[in-house]
Amino acid sequence: MTAMRPLDGVYRQDAAAGYVARRARILGGEWTPPPIEGFASPRCNARDEDALARLLGVMLAADGLAAVTLGDPLESAALVRVAERLGRPVPERSPEVQAFVEHGVVLNLRPAFDETAEVERQPFATNFISLHTEGSMAPPDRRPALLLFQCRETDADASGGKTVVLSMADVVARLPFELAAILRRTGYRGRAASDPILAEIGGSFRLTFRDFMYTPLEWTCWASRPNVDATDVNHALRTLHEALYAAPLHHVPYTAGTLFVLDNRRFLHGRTRIMYPDSRRHLQRVRIAVPNAAVSA
Ligand SMILES: [Fe+2]
């Protein structure tokens, strides 16, 4: 038997696809998704960093999301210490973001630019950010398991700039079985067959994916042919995009002093457009690669 050669192809966004219009409506800023259901953000004593991290860990293990409210935001060094209690912070090495980095791992997310097509600048611009898992382009060992956010300052509710989250389970539930089967055999070009867009790990599904919008997505599929061809793979990818923008989306109701943690293995996220350039929105983000055992689901 000869070894099967993988199939290569490119997915390009069709401007007429239903999700393209829905994405603009959902993330464009005029509409705010509802807050996370049952969002509990208990008040917490910022001085007891062990207790703070333990509480976040318990919430994370249960729900994949966690939040606490502090009287005042933590100093950046204290934020790093809390992150270290949750796992191993990932250094921010990208040259484009260095002006926004503190302590090597804290990224300051503030709107510093107007709307831009440059992807590297978009976290610091007023653009909306399409739905994604963090680090989908990175090799598996550099993908964060957790994202820790701290809100230092926020705008009025109607101002856009909302962090939005959606559960992978809700997305996968919208995929027909045969298309999910294709996505389990499809990865970004250059990836191993063991690192697909949709993986089953420990009995639950995990997506590693970013909606690239206008940028073509080069893929490789290891499904057996002639059962599957490039049209089938592109159909599966389009259906995945449709599912992303059809699944229930919620925003994180930040106030200054909210610490929020998201399990990047259970939730996707994005950001609605910041509605005015003089926004005071200031979030800090620490990526955490290897969570401590207590915070793993
Ligand atoms: Fe992100």
Side-chain angles (χ1 to χ4, degrees):
M1 204 172 108
T2 50
M4 195 182 54
R5 295 211 353 227
L7 175 68
D8 286 339
V10 180
Y11 174 78
R12 288 187 173 81
Q13 172 178 288
D14 172 359
Y19 76 86
V20 174
R22 217 161 44 244
R23 180 180 63 205
R25 204 164 56 243
I26 289 173
L27 298 180
E30 276 98 43
W31 175 75
T32 302
I36 297 170
E37 280 165 41
F39 186 79
S41 181
R43 295 198 75 78
C44 208
N45 178 355
R47 292 218 183 90
D48 191 343
E49 291 164 7
D50 279 323
L52 199 57
R54 261 200 312 277
L55 179 58
L56 290 170
V58 168
M59 296 167 100
L60 265 178
D63 299 324
L65 300 173
V68 298
T69 301
L70 309 171
D72 292 303
L74 297 174
E75 293 302 321
S76 299
L79 182 64
V80 175
R81 290 196 297 272
V82 171
E84 285 168 344
R85 283 167 168 79
L86 295 173
R88 180 165 55 77
V90 181
E92 294 286 353
R93 292 214 175 94
S94 166
E96 288 86 12
V97 306
Q98 288 311 304
F100 302 92
V101 176
E102 283 179 275
H103 303 286
V105 296
V106 178
L107 188 66
N108 284 290
L109 296 162
R110 265 188 300 235
F113 310 107
D114 289 337
E115 197 142 332
T116 171
E118 281 179 58
V119 174
E120 300 76 24
R121 280 194 171 197
Q122 286 180 354
F124 316 101
T126 54
N127 301 59
F128 72 71
I129 295 178
S130 59
L131 299 175
H132 63 283
T133 58
E134 201 67 32
S136 76
M137 306 279 283
D141 62 331
R142 294 229 307 273
R143 271 176 220 155
L146 306 175
L147 297 178
L148 167 64
F149 293 96
Q150 170 166 257
C151 176
R152 298 199 74 90
E153 212 167 332
T154 188
D155 297 316
D157 240 15
S159 61
K162 302 292 180 205
T163 300
V164 291
V165 299
L166 72 166
S167 101
M168 290 182 190
D170 283 340
V171 175
V172 175
R174 283 169 167 74
L175 298 174
F177 177 78
E178 66 280 8
L179 299 186
I182 292 174
L183 295 172
R184 290 177 65 184
R185 301 263 181 284
T186 304
Y188 291 177
R189 186 88 50 85
R191 289 283 160 76
S194 58
D195 185 21
I197 286 170
L198 177 62
E200 192 192 335
I201 297 170
S204 54
F205 285 108
R206 186 181 303 174
L207 284 162
T208 302
F209 192 67
R210 173 177 285 266
D211 165 14
F212 289 117
M213 306 216 293
Y214 314 102
T215 306
L217 187 177
E218 297 189 334
W219 51 257
T220 294
C221 178
W222 295 270
S224 59
R225 281 166 283 153
N227 303 342
V228 173
D229 63 19
T231 309
D232 297 323
V233 178
N234 281 328
H235 176 55
L237 286 166
R238 178 162 169 163
T239 306
L240 173 59
H241 285 85
E242 295 287 358
L244 285 181
Y245 293 97
L249 190 71
H250 295 95
H251 85 265
V252 183
Y254 286 122
T255 54
T258 304
L259 281 188
F260 174 70
V261 195
L262 168 152
D263 191 325
N264 193 42
R265 302 161 302 179
R266 294 168 68 180
F267 286 84
L268 297 111
H269 65 285
R271 187 188 72 197
T272 65
R273 188 163 73 85
I274 295 171
M275 298 298 280
Y276 44 84
D278 56 350
S279 164
R280 298 166 68 87
R281 180 187 198 270
H282 181 187
L283 281 190
Q284 293 177 302
R285 185 196 75 186
V286 183
R287 301 175 298 173
I288 298 169
V290 183
N292 295 331
V295 301
S296 279

